[in-house]
Amino acid sequence: MDLGLGGRGFLLTGASRGLGLATARALVDDGARVLISSRSPESVDAAVTSLGGAPSASGVTADLADPDAAETLVAEAGERLGQVDGVLVSVGGPAPGTVLSTAEDAWRAGVESVLLGPLRLVRALVPHLQEGAAIAFVLSISVKQPIGHLAISNGLRPGLAMTAKALADELGPRGIRVVGLLPGTIATDRIAEIEAASGDAAAMRARTEAGIPLRRVGRPEEFGRIAAFALSPAASYLTGTMIAVDGGMTRGL
């Protein structure tokens, strides 16, 4: 299928590794140009190099929890991409912990990074988007069911998902689409860190895979292909929906 991505420009946050980088690679492989951002300049530089560098890929250092990051990203996107045809909004996962054990400061930090940071970016970017543009939020299956020891994610991701639904209503008349992507357990560095912290990574992986109908965790490129499609003109009638990329892990509809 021709996704119609050739020559189009996309901004991707949190994209120096993991799901964001996998999406950037899928977009570039199909002819798009990308501007990726992350908090670490070294990670950004390495990711841009892995994507082939200019003119297909460029990068900028930014932390969405910083109130000034949104305007910086929008300005850089305009300069490097010209027209922005879509954005993948991804942020690092908030601190783990249970509802009762998680400190209030961690909740506040989660609100800044998971909720307010993405909203600031979208508000700054929307005036520059044209008909046919797409916004994709990287969320989590915690939108549909709680994940153990990830209380902040369980609390905030569903709120951002409903905000994405509301944005789809607001931006639909302008021909701008909004979707949410709900990854399950994908083999990223963050998942490896969580497994290692359990004390027995192999046992935790085995328990996880036993609860997935496909009996394996996902690969980053599998998520990247779905995200690239959702952002592409080929998905032109897809908006206001949450797309689970989880191997069947989510039990609810």
Side-chain angles (χ1 to χ4, degrees):
M1 178 185 293
D2 180 4
L3 299 183
L5 289 168
R8 296 173 74 86
F10 294 88
L11 170 65
L12 301 92
T13 71
S16 66
R17 62 178 188 164
L19 304 181
L21 180 58
T23 303
R25 182 164 288 116
L27 291 168
V28 167
D29 286 349
D30 217 78
R33 296 172 297 113
V34 300
L35 171 62
I36 66 170
S37 74
S38 179
R39 292 175 293 183
S40 165
E42 294 80 13
S43 295
V44 169
D45 290 344
V48 169
T49 299
S50 75
L51 292 169
S56 296
S58 59
V60 60
T61 304
D63 181 355
L64 284 188
D66 179 354
D68 297 325
E71 294 294 343
T72 298
L73 285 169
V74 171
E76 291 288 342
E79 180 177 338
R80 303 194 197 192
L81 299 175
Q83 179 173 307
V84 179
D85 297 295
V87 56
L88 182 84
V89 187
S90 178
V91 298
T98 64
V99 173
L100 297 180
S101 68
T102 301
E104 190 170 313
D105 285 347
W107 283 94
R108 289 196 182 95
V111 169
E112 280 291 334
S113 64
V114 174
L115 187 62
L116 294 181
L119 290 180
R120 280 192 291 259
L121 176 59
V122 169
R123 290 181 62 160
L125 187 60
V126 160
H128 303 275
L129 298 180
Q130 304 296 318
E131 181 177 357
I135 300 168
F137 292 93
V138 180
L139 301 171
S140 165
I141 59 168
S142 63
V143 167
K144 292 181 175 288
Q145 63 187 36
I147 301 174
H149 298 284
L150 291 180
I152 298 176
S153 180
N154 295 337
L156 299 181
R157 302 285 195 191
L160 189 54
M162 193 57 74
T163 301
K165 291 280 289 183
L167 271 173
D169 288 344
E170 293 181 32
L171 298 178
R174 290 181 48 188
I176 298 171
R177 300 184 298 107
V178 184
V179 299
L181 300 164
L182 314 183
T185 304
I186 310 291
T188 62
D189 292 343
R190 175 170 167 78
I191 293 300
E193 291 164 2
I194 292 172
E195 290 174 339
S198 73
D200 190 337
M204 184 175 180
R205 174 65 63 90
R207 289 194 301 271
T208 298
E209 292 182 330
I212 300 172
L214 290 181
R215 292 298 188 270
R216 64 176 178 84
V217 301
R219 298 184 295 272
E221 61 268 23
E222 292 178 305
F223 176 90
R225 289 193 293 266
I226 297 296
F229 167 75
L231 286 166
S232 78
S236 58
Y237 204 58
L238 188 71
T239 193
T241 191
M242 302 294 117
I243 305 170
V245 189
D246 66 353
M249 187 177 185
T250 307
R251 291 297 181 256
L253 294 176

